[in-house]
Amino acid sequence: MRLFAICAAVLIGSNAFAEGERAGDFDYYVLALSWSPGWCATEGRDRDARQCDPGSGAAFVLHGLWPQFEEGYPSYCRSSVRDPSRAQSAAMADVMGSDGAAWYQWKKHGRCSGLAAEDYFATARKAYANIAVPKPFQALARDLRLPASVVEEAFLEANPGLSRESVTVTCEGDRIDEVRICLKKDLAPRRCGADVRRECRLRDALMERVR
């Protein structure tokens, strides 16, 4: 009996991070904006991603719009809706960098929204358009070393509707990786869950120039 209780506790405790949850069952969204030059420098060029082509001008691109629980997140959800066509995925390349990225984000996260593929992509595009990328980062002309907190401050200044509790900056190694913004289902800003607010505290994080 005691062994059964222990196993049940483990299963319940890990449920927030399971896969294959029911589509549409989530609490809020995380809008993830990836710093494209950093991603391209570490892995993107090996993937032949369009956003890494010289002259692409890609800066902060839409990594994804992720359904989120108050703790943890659903993924690869069970859904009866149709997957996007190649044309629908390709149409997201201008904001997501490639059609492959759009397809992967749909498969892992989009299905969990409970929306049709067309509506999910439209919602992701709208969320991305609602956030102003600070002007200094739109066409960064040289590599920078700066505190990650400066990136957060810049987004707060450019987006007065955001609060410190709704924005977090992440790093990968010594590089600025992403800006993540927490949104209600209607895309209004909201406080991030504790597991999302794992802020980068580097004081000399690298931001490669836009190419």
Side-chain angles (χ1 to χ4, degrees):
M1 188 69 177
R2 183 183 177 194
L3 179 60
F4 175 81
I6 293 173
C7 291
V10 170
L11 288 171
I12 292 170
S14 63
N15 188 52
F17 301 95
E19 295 180 350
E21 294 89 348
R22 181 168 56 87
D25 182 15
F26 66 100
D27 298 311
Y28 67 101
Y29 287 117
V30 169
L31 175 69
L33 306 179
S34 173
W35 181 243
S36 181
W39 181 78
C40 289
T42 56
E43 56 183 297
R45 290 195 184 91
D46 293 336
R47 300 187 184 187
D48 197 30
R50 229 180 306 170
Q51 70 196 76
C52 300
D53 291 344
S56 72
F60 276 105
V61 300
L62 174 60
H63 182 175
L65 183 67
W66 305 335
Q68 193 84 12
F69 295 134
E70 292 299 340
E71 180 179 350
Y73 59 90
S75 61
Y76 301 103
C77 292
R78 304 185 303 276
S79 175
S80 61
V81 302
R82 290 183 179 181
D83 289 330
S85 66
R86 289 187 178 183
Q88 287 175 316
S89 295
M92 292 298 291
D94 63 320
V95 292
M96 299 190 77
S98 72
D99 50 354
W103 164 252
Y104 178 79
Q105 287 299 310
W106 162 259
K107 182 174 64 172
K108 184 174 182 179
H109 300 287
R111 288 174 181 164
C112 297
S113 68
L115 301 173
E118 180 180 5
D119 294 333
Y120 171 72
F121 282 151
T123 301
R125 185 180 286 276
K126 181 179 179 181
Y128 178 72
N130 284 348
I131 300 299
V133 173
K135 288 185 178 180
F137 302 142
Q138 292 177 14
L140 193 62
R142 62 184 180 87
D143 294 355
L144 289 181
R145 291 275 181 181
L146 76 176
S149 59
V150 169
V151 179
E152 181 176 318
E153 290 291 345
F155 269 84
L156 291 172
E157 184 175 337
N159 298 273
L162 299 181
S163 69
R164 294 186 186 280
E165 290 73 27
S166 62
V167 182
T168 189
V169 177
T170 68
C171 292
E172 182 69 29
D174 68 339
R175 289 177 163 87
I176 295 293
D177 182 36
E178 292 189 337
V179 173
R180 297 178 180 176
I181 299 167
C182 297
L183 305 170
K184 298 176 183 177
K185 292 183 179 182
D186 64 0
L187 303 185
R190 58 148 280 169
R191 183 185 182 91
C192 295
D195 58 331
V196 174
R197 289 194 59 79
R198 296 177 180 174
E199 293 183 296
C200 173
R201 301 188 182 280
L202 291 179
R203 300 189 61 80
D204 60 346
L206 174 63
M207 288 190 81
E208 286 93 342
R209 66 183 178 87
V210 172
R211 290 171 171 78

